[in-house]
């Protein structure tokens, strides 16, 4: 992850125009017909407090950006591994990138464990009217929900558990914010980067279809 994230911060921006709850977890519950997936809060995985006050913006996001962490494709699908991953990401983003907090709004592991990334991402998602300013993609941090998926998907296929939890999270985000599944895009659509990996990027049309199906469309 460290090598990937360092590289990411050095890449030139190629942004295109146009096209953040304490407590243990967000439990399942209906949201406009979509069941809210379980999402571990920052408090649950042991996050550090943000280095600076975070900004909550009074508008909805307009899209979802899919990322990969470019970390090893671990076969440890445990909660302990997931929480350690979240702490590692936050430490790197704060200590090396000098960001206020974890850059992305949410993290999804190979074991299908969903976690809040940046503080306040859960309550704003539940409220459905605001977004926490993030740091996952220049030009998109005020208007796009960033989801990091554990692993490297340049040549490898994402495991079923990761895929299923990604579909569940995207469907919930779309439902809460009235975002079209067609507005699910990849990091590389807005920055000169290989993220979210060639394989996962090519799967985005299927992700849009799976999310639309879950939304009843």
């Amino acid at each position: 992850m460290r090598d990937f994230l360092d590289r990411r911060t050095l890449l030139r921006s190629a942004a295109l125009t146009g096209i953040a709850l304490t407590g243990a977890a967000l439990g399942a519950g209906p949201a406009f017909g979509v069941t809210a997936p379980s999402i571990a809060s920052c408090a649950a995985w042991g996050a550090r407090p943000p280095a600076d006050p975070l900004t909550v913006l009074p508008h909805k996001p307009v899209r979802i950006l899919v990322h990969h962490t470019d970390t090893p494709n671990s076969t440890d699908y445990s909660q302990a591994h997931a929480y350690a991953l979240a702490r590692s990401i936050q430490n790197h983003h704060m200590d090396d990138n000098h960001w206020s907090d974890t850059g992305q709004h949410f993290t999804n592991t190979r074991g299908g464990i969903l976690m809040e990334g940046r503080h306040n991402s859960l309550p704003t998602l539940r409220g459905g009217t605001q977004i926490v300013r993030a740091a996952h993609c220049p030009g998109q941090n005020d208007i796009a929900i960033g989801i990091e998926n554990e692993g490297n998907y340049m040549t490898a296929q994402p495991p079923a558990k990761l895929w299923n939890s990604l579909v569940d999270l995207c469907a919930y985000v779309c439902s809460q914010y009235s975002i079209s599944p067609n507005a699910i895009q990849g990091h590389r659509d807005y920055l000169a980067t290989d993220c979210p990996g060639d394989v996962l990027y090519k799967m985005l049309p299927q992700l849009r279809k799976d999310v639309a199906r879950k939304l009843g469309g």
Side-chain angles (χ1 to χ4, degrees):
M1 166 178 286
R2 186 173 298 270
D3 289 343
F4 170 67
L5 289 170
D6 285 343
R7 184 171 70 251
R8 181 187 295 178
T9 60
L10 294 174
L11 289 169
R12 67 176 179 83
S13 173
L16 308 176
T17 46
I19 4 214
L21 199 103
T22 56
L26 171 63
F32 306 112
V34 175
T35 300
S38 178
I39 305 172
S41 69
C42 289
W45 56 261
R48 298 157 56 182
D52 306 290
L54 301 179
T55 300
V56 177
L57 300 164
H59 59 254
K60 297 180 180 183
V62 299
R63 64 179 59 87
I64 297 170
L65 290 191
V66 176
H67 303 258
H68 74 173
T69 61
D70 200 21
T71 51
N73 290 328
S74 175
T75 56
D76 185 345
Y77 293 171
S78 68
Q79 183 184 82
H81 169 79
Y83 288 7
L85 173 71
R87 292 191 294 270
S88 174
I89 293 173
Q90 186 190 41
N91 287 338
H92 177 66
H93 286 183
M94 293 179 68
D95 298 338
D96 299 323
N97 292 354
H98 305 294
W99 296 344
S100 298
D101 196 2
T102 301
Q104 73 275 5
H105 294 96
F106 298 101
T107 306
N108 181 27
T109 73
R110 288 173 56 81
I113 296 173
L114 295 169
M115 298 172 289
E116 182 181 33
R118 177 157 289 219
H119 284 80
N120 298 326
S121 295
L122 275 179
T124 52
L125 173 59
R126 294 184 77 185
T129 61
Q130 300 173 310
I131 181 174
V132 178
R133 176 175 290 147
H136 61 97
C137 182
Q140 297 299 308
N141 293 314
D142 289 358
I143 57 174
I145 294 294
I147 303 174
E148 282 276 9
N149 294 277
E150 178 192 12
N152 181 306
Y153 301 107
M154 289 301 293
T155 59
Q157 194 89 359
K161 288 184 177 181
L162 180 146
W163 181 260
N164 291 337
S165 57
L166 180 59
V167 171
D168 289 346
L169 178 57
C170 286
Y172 184 61
V173 171
C174 286
S175 175
Q176 288 295 93
Y177 289 125
S178 302
I179 296 173
S180 167
N182 291 329
I184 300 172
Q185 297 176 279
H187 188 191
R188 65 173 64 179
D189 288 323
Y190 295 91
L191 190 72
T193 175
D194 60 13
C195 182
D198 291 347
V199 174
L200 184 52
Y201 185 74
K202 290 177 182 178
M203 295 175 71
L204 293 185
Q206 185 61 50
L207 178 61
R208 296 178 192 115
K209 292 179 182 178
D210 289 355
V211 170
R213 187 176 303 114
K214 197 169 187 68
L215 290 168

